[in-house]
Amino acid sequence: MLIRNIALIGTICGALAACGNTIGEQALSGGVIGAGTAAVVSGSLLQGAAIGAGASVLACQTKVVNCR
């Protein structure tokens, strides 16, 4: 359980840091990081990609992080 929590935190941080210039780039980079993290913790790749992509786009579009 501890490894899953650490991986989840890593996914969120990675997705927030993985910004691009367009929404597509933001979603792609966040999705790759999310799927990679899911693979490491033996989770669902599709779910990890969706969470990573969503977190990245949300953070960049709401200006939570400076993506430019």
Side-chain angles (χ1 to χ4, degrees):
M1 189 66 149
L2 178 63
I3 292 175
R4 278 190 173 233
N5 291 339
I6 292 170
L8 179 60
I9 291 169
T11 299
I12 292 169
C13 291
L16 293 177
C19 289
N21 292 326
T22 66
I23 291 176
E25 290 173 355
Q26 295 162 0
L28 181 62
S29 59
V32 168
I33 291 170
T37 303
V40 170
V41 297
S42 301
S44 167
L45 296 179
L46 185 59
Q47 186 176 17
I51 291 170
S56 180
V57 170
L58 181 65
C60 291
Q61 294 300 310
T62 59
K63 308 294 187 221
V64 171
V65 293
N66 186 10
C67 294
R68 307 223 188 253

